[in-house]
Amino acid sequence: MTPLLYLAADQKSADVTDWPDRIGWIVGLLLFITLVYWLMRQGWKWRGTLQGGLPELPSAPSERGAAKLELSGRYHGSTTAGQWLDRIVAHGLGTRSRVELTLTDAGLDVVRPGAADFFVPAQALRGARLDKGIAGKVLTEGGLLIVTWALGDKLIDSGFRSDRAAEQADWVTALNDMTDPKTTTTQTDTTEGAAR
């Protein structure tokens, strides 16, 4: 026999796929993914139950006044103030969405298509800053507008990202001017002086 014939005689065809074994692995993987998804959903519901003591979100008053600033972008969620990983999910605050923000003398109007809208009265605003992250979203330094506000006795940080990131610095200035006690006192004194 020639060497080529020896090689041809030694070669075997590939083993046929073991279909029952493969189907078993696929079904097991699908069950595992389903279990992980179910556990995540239960954790989300449990977090909402733990936060059930939060008061209802304020709705916008009929008279809000003229818009000082407007912003179109994305809402990335809310956390306990100063704890960027402690997500708040009660009252739909954990739902990401598109957002339209309007700042007036009355407060901050947050309109979210497909999610619950809410209004932050001016007296509930505590300040604003640019930051790089909030639970579930991390960007470059200064990529997120974080607004701190009070809901009942709980301080909340809400994260927004404008479609035009350059305008976020103007929002920080305007919100901090509204919440700065010195600015508020000066404005009140000026108004009282004008009335005299």
Side-chain angles (χ1 to χ4, degrees), residues 25-167:
W25 277 105
I26 291 171
V27 169
L29 182 62
L30 290 174
L31 287 173
F32 176 74
I33 291 170
T34 304
L35 174 66
V36 168
Y37 177 78
W38 181 80
L39 288 172
M40 288 170 53
R41 187 81 180 140
Q42 291 303 108
W44 188 270
K45 286 181 180 178
W46 177 249
R47 182 172 282 274
T49 302
L50 291 175
Q51 297 167 351
L54 283 175
E56 288 296 319
L57 295 173
S59 55
S62 54
E63 292 298 323
R64 286 170 261 184
K68 293 180 171 184
L69 286 173
E70 293 180 326
L71 176 148
S72 177
R74 296 214 42 96
Y75 169 78
H76 287 290
S78 293
T79 63
T80 301
Q83 299 178 20
W84 73 285
L85 291 176
D86 186 20
R87 185 188 297 267
I88 294 178
V89 300
H91 308 306
L93 288 175
T95 306
R96 290 184 182 180
S97 63
R98 290 287 303 163
V99 72
E100 298 289 331
L101 293 181
T102 306
L103 182 64
T104 66
D105 286 330
L108 179 66
D109 193 15
V110 183
V111 177
R112 301 187 302 153
D117 299 342
F118 60 96
F119 182 78
V120 181
Q123 63 270 20
L125 289 168
R126 297 295 183 263
R129 68 183 186 279
L130 294 179
D131 211 330
K132 65 180 177 180
I134 199 161
K137 187 67 175 178
V138 177
L139 297 166
T140 58
E141 192 64 49
L144 279 176
L145 168 65
I146 306 294
V147 178
T148 304
W149 55 287
L151 181 59
D153 59 355
K154 187 171 187 74
L155 284 181
I156 295 175
D157 282 344
S158 293
F160 305 94
R161 178 152 175 87
S162 173
D163 291 335
R164 295 174 299 280
E167 69 185 0

